[in-house]
Amino acid sequence: AAAGKLLVVPVDGSHWLSMWEVLDVLGQRGHEVVVVAPEVTMHIKPSKNFVMKMYPVPFTQEEMHELF
């Protein structure tokens, strides 16, 4: 078997909560997983089993929480 490379640009929310477990296991099994996410999120968090690349957004964590 050979490990693969996976680039993920997730949507925040329940989709990410389900996807996180899959990505974590893929990383544990030798796949190279890179997640590209905004620096301000509700649920998207890093893992030791994949690489997180963050990009800037024009709002703060506090502003996002106020909206929701």
Side-chain angles (χ1 to χ4, degrees):
K5 294 182 178 184
L6 185 64
L7 175 64
V8 180
V9 183
V11 175
D12 209 350
S14 62
H15 287 80
W16 170 252
L17 298 176
S18 300
M19 187 184 305
W20 186 90
E21 287 188 47
V22 172
L23 298 176
D24 198 51
V25 171
L26 286 171
Q28 290 174 21
R29 295 184 180 188
H31 296 275
E32 184 180 334
V33 180
V34 177
V35 176
V36 179
E39 62 187 4
V40 175
T41 68
M42 293 186 322
H43 300 291
I44 301 174
K45 304 292 182 229
S47 166
K48 65 179 180 158
N49 295 313
F50 55 77
V51 175
M52 289 284 295
K53 300 285 185 175
M54 308 299 273
Y55 60 88
V57 292
F59 51 87
T60 66
Q61 191 78 37
E62 294 78 25
E63 291 171 329
M64 186 179 71
H65 281 287
E66 286 177 16
L67 291 172
F68 292 100

